[in-house]
Amino acid sequence: MNKIFLAIATVLTLASCVSTKTLYSWYDYEDTVYEYNKEPTDKNKEAMMKTLLKMSERQKGTRGSVPPGFYAEYGYTIYKSGKKEEGIKLLKEEIRLYPESKTYIERIINQLEK
C-alpha cells in the first residue's frame, strides 16, 4: 500500500514540474503600457506600439491568437494617433475574434464616429 502511495506521489510531483505553455504571448506588454500611461512621451508610445505590433505578429501561446482586449487597445491607440480608419478596423477585429465584446466595442466605435 505504501509503495503504491509513494509511486502516485512521485508521479504527481514529477507531473507538476512539467512546464506549461501560456495561452498568449505577452512579451513586455505590462511594462510598456504602464510606462506609457504613467508618462505619455513619444519614446514610451513608440515602445508600447512596438510591443503591441510584436504581440499581433508573433503569438507563440497555445491559442495562437492575441489575448482578449488586444485589438480594442491597439485599435484605440492607432485611432488616437490619427489613423482613424485603421483604428476602427482593429476595433471591429476585436468583435470578430471575441464576439462577447460586441456591445462594449460597438459603443466605443459609435462614440469615435460621432
Side-chain angles (χ1 to χ4, degrees):
M1 183 74 151
N2 285 337
K3 288 182 181 182
I4 293 174
F5 177 73
L6 182 60
I8 291 173
T10 302
V11 169
L12 290 175
T13 302
L14 291 175
S16 68
C17 294
V18 176
S19 66
T20 58
K21 198 169 181 182
T22 60
L23 289 176
Y24 308 103
S25 300
W26 292 94
Y27 299 100
D28 54 347
Y29 169 81
E30 285 182 355
D31 294 333
T32 57
V33 171
Y34 172 78
E35 287 301 320
Y36 176 70
N37 286 319
K38 185 174 97 176
E39 191 176 335
T41 63
D42 288 340
K43 179 183 174 187
N44 287 342
K45 182 178 182 180
E46 185 178 326
M48 180 183 73
M49 294 304 285
K50 281 183 182 179
T51 299
L52 292 172
L53 184 61
K54 183 193 274 188
M55 285 176 67
S56 72
E57 292 176 345
R58 294 186 238 158
Q59 271 301 309
K60 297 177 183 175
T62 57
R63 256 207 86 215
S65 67
V66 297
F70 171 81
Y71 281 116
E73 180 161 13
Y74 193 34
Y76 186 69
T77 304
I78 293 287
Y79 183 91
K80 286 190 334 185
S81 70
K83 299 176 184 175
K84 295 180 179 192
E85 288 180 24
E86 186 178 347
I88 297 291
K89 182 179 173 186
L90 290 169
L91 287 164
K92 289 180 180 177
E93 182 65 11
E94 179 74 25
I95 294 170
R96 187 186 72 74
L97 283 176
Y98 300 100
E100 62 275 15
S101 70
K102 182 178 181 177
T103 303
Y104 179 67
I105 300 300
E106 281 183 346
R107 273 182 64 201
I108 293 171
I109 292 171
N110 289 336
Q111 290 294 317
L112 294 175
E113 290 178 333
K114 283 186 179 179

